[in-house]
Structures are given as C-alpha cells and as structure tokens.
Amino acid sequence: MTEILVPTELENFRDYVREVAERYVKPWAMVVDKEDRFAKESFEAVKRANLAGVIIPKEYGGLGLTTKHYIIFIEELTRVCPSTAVTFAVTSGLVPKFLLDFASEEIKREYLPKVASGEYIGAFGLTEPCCGSDAGSLKTRAEEVEGGFKIYGQKIFITNASVSKFIITMAKTDPEKGKKGITAFLVDTDSEGLSIIKNEDKLGWRGSVTSAISYDGVFVPYWKVIGKRGEGFKYALSSLDAGRIGIAAMGLGTIKRAIEISADYIRQNGLSSNESYTFRLSDMYVMYETAREYTFFAAELRDAGKPYTKEAAIAKLVASEYAMRAVNIMLDILGPDGVVWGEAERLFRDTKILEIGEGTSEIQRLVISRSIL
C-alpha cells in the first residue's frame, strides 16, 4: 500500500484531518452511538489516512509531529465524533508517550511501529474498583516468578481494553512500599488469564469501548516490565499530564462544534440581531479561545522538554469545564430541538466525561494548588 503523505504545516494539517473526519468519520458518529458499539469504520478510516502515529517518531514508523499537531488531530476528530477521538487520544497519545518516555528499546521496536500503523490499539490500565482518584492505593499485584511476574487483580473503566492488543498495566510488586511499590507492565490482551469482565453501557462515548478487566495469574516476562521496578506510579502521573492535554483538545473540539451548531440555528431562525442569542454565542467563542491558548501553551512546554504538569492541569480544567458550559448554552439556544435524539443531544452526553476522565476537576485543582503552595 502506498503511504499517504500527511501535510505537516499546522493549518494544512488541520485541513487534512478535517477532510478525513468529515468524509469518513462523521457519517458513522450517530450510527455507533445508537448501536452502542466500537466505531470500527471510523478507526479504520483514520488508520488508512496515516494518522494513527501523529506523535510517534519516524524511526518507529510514525509521523514524528508535534504536540500541537496532536491537539489539532484530537480536536478535529472530536468535532464530528468524540468516541473516535477518545479512542485515538489513548492509543495515539497517552500510550505511545508512555512507551517513548519509559519503555526499553526492545519494547519500542516491537510495539510502536504497529501502533503507528494502526495495526495495534493500546490501552492504559490504572483505575480499579477500590481506587479512582486515589490511584496510588491500587490493589492489583504482581508476584515475581521464574522468568517474570504473574499479575492478579482487576481494572475498571479502561478505554479501548476489549479492542486492544496490549494494556499498559500498573500493579504492585512491593505492596509494603505503597506508591513506591508500583511497577508498570506491558500486558498482551491474548495472554492466558486476562479476560474482559464487561463492556460498560455508558451515557456518552458510546462508540468507544470502556471495559472492566480481570487478571488471574497473567504471566508477563521480564522484558515487558516498563522502566524500573517501583517507578510505575511516578510514570503514571507523568503520563497523565500528556493525557490531560488530550482531554483539553477534546474540550476544544466540543466547544467548537457547540458554536457551529448554535450559529447555524441562529442564522436559520433569523435570530442574528437578537442579543439574547448572539451574546451567548460570543461567550462560547471566548471560552474556545481561552481554552485553546492554554492548551497550546502546555503543548509548547511539553515539546520544549520543560515541566508542564500545572499547565496541563489548567488546560484540562478550563477546556473541560468550558466544554460543559458551552453545550449547556447550545441546548438553551436550541430549546426543544436540542433535547431530542440527535447530534446536539449526543454532544451533551459525550461531554460530561471530560470533567471526569484523566483526573476529575477536583484533582486538577489539587494539582494546581499544590504547585502554588
């Protein structure tokens, strides 16, 4: 298959992603929402467009582009289908960033080219039944055996799990050390002892799979331990910074689409001179520009190799809460037309999770306040 050349200049890149999203992803958005199933057609379309490896370096088969490109990629997918966007936010953002930062060269060579091509989908296994925001108290354990470790435990609310080839899994190798006893593992989903307990029936993101997983003595060889023993929690916190930029990008796409739907309604109903409507549209635009500035600022820091924990938290907090506010305004503008099943109603359902995933708004405020104090 001839490789598709993706434009790298930011605005040309945006135009390319938007065309792919509008032509090949948008037609499936309402279908997969109604059928409550993985948006495989949309995934395959983005994969064929050579966009699965946006931030993966060229040496591993990716495009080697910047975090700003990644933000545009996720934002444009979110405009048409948040479910598809979150699938790629994990497998093309959070997962490769984790492997690039912490995995061995052997793991990188084995897995990253297949993630970049879209052959493999990755997932990230941190959240457990016992522990949501308090991830350091996780119970999943990894017992050392000959040749590696055996993992026992459960994970919940794991995006992509049931369609993934592998799951980056956090487990305690040294429980007595608490957070410093957590180690990261790369676990293939076809491993004996790993099973999907259930796929969640969700309010939104119904075209994305979110699963509960059981590990019953899943063997992981030593070479699939990611980084150093006991450093997994530190790695997870670092990777969440990258994940928060992805959620912020989804917030941008949500606000932008809410503006577009609202503006179309105002024009079509002759309300362009009614300030009760147009002022609220202005508020939404200010929200978008504010969230966009901070999201791109966090991206600049990340690409420059500078600390960006606080900035990623601010971007995620602002973009997610503004997105929720924007879709509320959109529904106010549309009135009854906004609450019947359709794109506006779906966008409302798809948005609430942005304030919860990758750390709740309260967790973001905790991160920010700690950086101040």
Side-chain angles (χ1 to χ4, degrees):
M1 184 177 70
T2 303
E3 181 181 2
I4 295 173
L5 296 178
V6 177
T8 58
E9 194 277 327
L10 284 176
E11 285 312 306
N12 291 339
F13 179 76
R14 184 184 292 277
D15 290 342
Y16 176 73
V17 177
R18 179 168 293 195
E19 181 181 2
V20 171
E22 288 283 346
R23 290 183 63 184
Y24 303 111
V25 177
K26 188 175 182 178
W28 292 101
M30 297 307 299
V31 175
V32 296
D33 179 79
K34 191 166 189 176
E35 296 179 357
D36 189 19
R37 65 169 177 82
F38 179 61
K40 60 181 183 298
E41 297 89 352
S42 299
F43 180 87
E44 289 297 323
V46 177
K47 170 183 168 181
R48 289 193 303 271
N50 195 25
L51 287 167
V54 173
I55 65 167
I56 297 175
K58 292 181 179 179
E59 64 182 294
Y60 300 113
L63 296 176
L65 299 178
T66 69
T67 305
K68 286 185 178 180
H69 289 85
Y70 169 71
I71 289 169
I72 290 170
F73 171 55
I74 298 300
E75 178 185 349
E76 291 298 329
L77 287 181
T78 305
R79 275 187 66 253
V80 300
C81 182
S83 291
T84 301
V86 73
T87 297
F88 281 100
V90 174
T91 193
S92 297
L94 177 60
V95 165
K97 184 69 169 62
F98 193 98
L99 296 182
L100 286 166
D101 286 349
F102 308 118
S104 66
E105 190 62 28
E106 186 176 8
I107 289 176
K108 292 176 188 176
R109 295 288 175 190
E110 175 68 24
Y111 285 86
L112 284 175
K114 293 171 183 175
V115 173
S117 70
E119 179 182 349
Y120 284 1
I121 296 175
F124 187 78
L126 179 62
T127 304
E128 299 191 1
C130 68
C131 331
S133 296
D134 185 18
S137 298
L138 61 84
K139 304 298 183 186
T140 297
R141 70 188 192 278
E143 298 178 357
E144 193 164 10
V145 296
E146 183 178 355
F149 293 83
K150 283 192 172 183
I151 299 179
Y152 300 84
Q154 288 186 12
K155 302 290 181 180
I156 58 171
F157 303 135
I158 307 304
T159 300
N160 294 350
S162 65
V163 294
S164 66
K165 169 61 179 176
F166 65 94
I167 303 170
I168 295 172
T169 300
M170 300 295 152
K172 281 186 175 174
T173 47
D174 304 280
E176 71 282 359
K177 295 182 179 179
K179 294 177 182 178
K180 294 184 179 180
I182 297 172
T183 301
F185 299 87
L186 190 150
V187 180
D188 291 317
T189 52
D190 59 1
S191 300
E192 184 178 352
L194 188 146
S195 59
I196 302 297
I197 300 171
K198 64 174 179 176
N199 288 326
E200 301 292 350
D201 185 5
K202 307 187 298 294
L203 171 73
W205 290 358
R206 294 175 67 81
S208 160
V209 289
T210 306
S211 310
I213 317 163
S214 173
Y215 301 78
D216 185 13
V218 178
F219 177 73
V220 182
Y222 282 124
W223 76 272
K224 290 188 179 180
V225 175
I226 301 174
K228 297 179 180 178
R229 180 169 177 160
E231 297 284 293
F233 187 69
K234 182 173 72 174
Y235 298 161
L237 292 182
S238 175
S239 70
L240 288 176
D241 293 341
R244 285 164 186 162
I245 289 180
I247 295 293
M250 290 190 68
L252 295 182
T254 300
I255 301 168
K256 180 174 286 185
R257 188 59 188 147
I259 292 171
E260 293 169 347
I261 292 171
S262 301
D264 287 345
Y265 183 88
I266 290 169
R267 292 190 199 99
Q268 291 165 9
N269 289 276
L271 299 168
S272 296
S273 60
N274 187 324
E275 292 173 354
S276 297
Y277 289 89
T278 59
F279 280 15
R280 305 197 79 185
L281 196 63
S282 298
D283 289 343
M284 295 163 74
Y285 187 75
V286 171
M287 292 177 199
Y288 174 79
E289 288 296 324
T290 303
R292 180 185 180 279
E293 285 299 315
Y294 227 99
T295 303
F296 273 76
F297 178 48
E300 288 174 2
L301 292 176
R302 172 175 149 175
D303 287 338
K306 297 179 180 179
Y308 66 101
T309 296
K310 177 184 67 177
E311 290 74 17
I314 295 173
K316 195 271 187 185
L317 178 66
V318 170
S320 63
E321 293 200 344
Y322 276 178
M324 197 70 237
R325 195 179 304 176
V327 296
N328 274 310
I329 293 172
M330 174 193 69
L331 292 188
D332 286 345
I333 290 173
L334 269 58
D337 291 331
V339 296
V340 295
W341 186 79
E343 184 182 6
E345 178 268 348
R346 192 210 73 223
L347 191 60
F348 178 82
R349 288 187 286 104
D350 284 341
T351 301
K352 181 58 186 176
I353 186 61
L354 297 180
E355 295 181 310
I356 300 171
E358 302 294 354
T360 63
S361 290
E362 289 75 19
I363 289 295
Q364 309 314 313
R365 290 182 169 91
L366 181 64
V367 171
I368 295 163
S369 65
R370 283 178 174 173
S371 74
I372 297 169
L373 297 172

